[in-house]
Coordinates of all heavy atoms in Angstrom, one line a residue:
E395 N 84.5 111.6 100.1 CA 85.3 110.5 99.5 C 84.7 110.1 98.2 O 84.0 110.9 97.6 CB 85.4 109.3 100.5 CG 86.0 109.8 101.9 CD 86.3 108.6 102.8 OE1 87.0 107.7 102.3 OE2 86.1 108.7 103.9
Q396 N 84.9 108.9 97.7 CA 84.5 108.5 96.3 C 83.0 108.5 96.3 O 82.3 108.2 97.3 CB 85.1 107.2 96.0 CG 86.6 107.2 95.5 CD 87.5 107.0 96.8 OE1 87.1 107.2 97.9 NE2 88.8 106.9 96.5
T397 N 82.4 108.6 95.1 CA 81.0 108.7 94.9 C 80.3 107.4 95.3 O 79.1 107.4 95.6 CB 80.6 109.0 93.5 OG1 81.3 108.0 92.6 CG2 81.0 110.4 93.1
Y425 N 81.0 119.1 100.6 CA 80.3 119.0 99.3 C 81.3 119.1 98.2 O 82.0 120.2 98.1 CB 79.2 120.1 99.3 CG 78.1 119.9 100.4 CD1 78.3 120.5 101.6 CD2 77.0 119.1 100.2 CE1 77.4 120.3 102.6 CE2 76.0 118.9 101.1 CZ 76.2 119.5 102.4 OH 75.3 119.3 103.4
Q426 N 81.2 118.2 97.3 CA 82.2 118.2 96.1 C 81.5 118.8 94.9 O 80.6 118.2 94.4 CB 82.6 116.7 95.8 CG 83.3 116.1 97.0 CD 83.3 114.5 96.8 OE1 82.3 113.9 96.7 NE2 84.5 113.9 96.8
C427 N 81.9 120.0 94.6 CA 81.2 120.7 93.5 C 81.6 120.3 92.1 O 81.0 120.8 91.2 CB 81.4 122.2 93.7 SG 80.7 122.9 95.2
Y428 N 82.4 119.3 92.0 CA 82.6 118.8 90.6 C 81.5 117.7 90.3 O 81.5 117.3 89.2 CB 84.0 118.2 90.4 CG 84.4 117.0 91.2 CD1 83.5 116.2 92.1 CD2 85.8 116.5 91.2 CE1 84.0 115.2 92.8 CE2 86.2 115.4 91.9 CZ 85.3 114.7 92.7 OH 85.6 113.6 93.4
L429 N 80.7 117.4 91.3 CA 79.5 116.5 91.0 C 78.4 117.2 90.3 O 78.1 118.4 90.6 CB 79.1 115.9 92.3 CG 80.0 115.1 93.1 CD1 79.4 114.6 94.4 CD2 80.5 113.9 92.2
K430 N 77.8 116.5 89.3 CA 76.7 117.1 88.5 C 75.6 117.5 89.4 O 74.8 118.5 89.2 CB 76.2 116.1 87.5 CG 77.3 115.9 86.4 CD 76.8 114.8 85.4 CE 77.8 114.5 84.4 NZ 77.4 113.4 83.5
E431 N 75.3 116.8 90.5 CA 74.2 117.1 91.4 C 74.5 117.8 92.7 O 73.8 117.7 93.7 CB 73.4 115.7 91.6 CG 72.8 115.2 90.3 CD 71.8 114.1 90.6 OE1 71.4 113.9 91.7 OE2 71.4 113.5 89.6
A432 N 75.7 118.4 92.8 CA 76.1 119.1 94.0 C 75.0 120.1 94.5 O 74.7 120.1 95.7 CB 77.5 119.8 93.8
V455 N 84.2 122.1 98.5 CA 85.5 121.8 97.7 C 85.1 121.6 96.2 O 84.0 121.3 95.9 CB 86.2 120.6 98.3 CG1 86.6 120.9 99.8 CG2 85.4 119.3 98.2
R456 N 86.1 121.6 95.4 CA 85.9 121.1 94.0 C 85.9 119.7 93.9 O 85.0 119.1 93.3 CB 86.9 121.8 93.1 CG 86.5 123.3 92.8 CD 87.6 124.1 92.0 NE 87.0 125.4 91.6 CZ 86.9 126.4 92.4 NH1 87.3 126.4 93.7 NH2 86.4 127.6 92.0
G457 N 86.8 119.0 94.5 CA 86.9 117.5 94.6 C 88.3 117.0 94.2 O 89.0 117.6 93.4
A458 N 88.6 115.8 94.8 CA 89.9 115.3 94.7 C 90.0 114.0 93.9 O 91.1 113.5 93.7 CB 90.5 115.0 96.1
Y459 N 88.8 113.5 93.4 CA 88.8 112.1 92.8 C 88.4 112.2 91.3 O 88.0 111.2 90.8 CB 87.9 111.2 93.6 CG 88.2 111.2 95.1 CD1 87.4 112.0 96.0 CD2 89.1 110.3 95.5 CE1 87.7 111.9 97.3 CE2 89.4 110.3 96.9 CZ 88.7 111.1 97.8 OH 89.0 111.0 99.2
M460 N 88.5 113.3 90.7 CA 88.0 113.4 89.3 C 88.5 112.4 88.4 O 87.7 111.7 87.7 CB 88.2 114.8 88.8 CG 87.6 115.1 87.4 SD 88.0 116.7 86.8 CE 89.8 116.6 86.5
Y461 N 89.8 112.3 88.2 CA 90.3 111.3 87.2 C 89.9 109.9 87.6 O 89.6 109.1 86.6 CB 91.8 111.5 87.2 CG 92.3 112.9 86.8 CD1 92.9 113.7 87.6 CD2 92.0 113.3 85.5 CE1 93.4 115.0 87.3 CE2 92.4 114.6 85.1 CZ 93.1 115.4 86.0 OH 93.4 116.7 85.7
E463 N 87.3 108.9 89.3 CA 85.8 108.7 89.1 C 85.5 108.6 87.5 O 84.6 107.7 87.2 CB 85.1 109.9 89.7 CG 85.2 110.0 91.2 CD 84.2 109.1 91.9 OE1 83.6 108.2 91.2 OE2 84.1 109.3 93.1
R464 N 86.1 109.4 86.7 CA 85.8 109.3 85.3 C 86.2 108.0 84.7 O 85.5 107.3 84.0 CB 86.6 110.4 84.6 CG 85.9 111.8 84.7 CD 86.5 112.7 83.6 NE 86.2 114.1 83.8 CZ 85.1 114.7 83.8 NH1 84.0 114.0 83.4 NH2 84.9 116.0 83.9
P475 N 79.7 110.7 87.0 CA 79.1 111.7 87.9 C 79.7 113.1 88.0 O 79.2 113.9 88.6 CB 79.2 111.0 89.3 CG 80.5 110.2 89.1 CD 80.6 109.8 87.6
I476 N 80.8 113.3 87.2 CA 81.5 114.5 87.2 C 81.1 115.5 86.2 O 80.7 115.2 85.1 CB 83.0 114.2 87.1 CG1 83.5 113.1 88.1 CG2 83.9 115.4 87.3 CD1 83.3 113.4 89.5
N477 N 81.1 116.8 86.6 CA 80.9 117.8 85.5 C 81.8 117.7 84.4 O 82.9 117.2 84.5 CB 81.0 119.2 86.2 CG 79.9 119.6 87.1 OD1 78.7 119.2 86.9 ND2 80.2 120.2 88.2
P478 N 81.4 118.1 83.2 CA 82.1 117.9 82.0 C 83.5 118.6 81.9 O 84.4 118.2 81.3 CB 81.2 118.4 80.8 CG 80.2 119.3 81.5 CD 80.1 118.7 82.8
D479 N 83.6 119.8 82.6 CA 84.9 120.5 82.5 C 85.0 121.4 83.7 O 84.1 121.5 84.6 CB 84.9 121.4 81.2 CG 83.7 122.2 81.0 OD1 83.2 122.9 82.0 OD2 83.0 122.3 79.9
T482 N 82.6 124.4 84.2 CA 81.3 124.0 84.8 C 81.4 123.8 86.2 O 80.5 124.1 87.0 CB 80.8 122.7 84.1 OG1 80.8 122.9 82.7 CG2 79.3 122.4 84.5
T483 N 82.4 123.2 86.7 CA 82.7 122.9 88.1 C 82.8 124.3 88.9 O 82.2 124.5 89.9 CB 83.9 122.1 88.4 OG1 83.7 120.8 87.8 CG2 84.2 122.0 89.9
M486 N 79.4 125.6 89.2 CA 78.7 124.8 90.3 C 79.1 125.3 91.6 O 78.2 125.5 92.6 CB 78.9 123.4 90.1 CG 78.2 122.5 91.1 SD 76.4 122.5 91.0 CE 76.1 121.4 89.5
Y487 N 80.4 125.5 91.8 CA 80.9 125.9 93.1 C 80.3 127.3 93.5 O 79.8 127.4 94.7 CB 82.5 126.1 93.0 CG 83.1 126.2 94.3 CD1 83.8 125.1 94.9 CD2 83.1 127.3 95.1 CE1 84.5 125.2 96.1 CE2 83.7 127.5 96.3 CZ 84.4 126.4 96.8 OH 85.1 126.5 98.1

Side-chain angles (χ1 to χ4, degrees):
E395 304 193 44
Q396 284 88 349
T397 53
Y425 297 89
Q426 300 163 304
C427 293
Y428 65 10
L429 297 180
K430 294 175 181 176
E431 296 195 5
V455 300
R456 280 173 172 78
Y459 305 97
M460 181 179 71
Y461 299 112
E463 294 280 9
R464 285 200 194 285
I476 308 299
N477 287 320
D479 51 47
T482 306
T483 294
M486 179 67 77
Y487 194 107

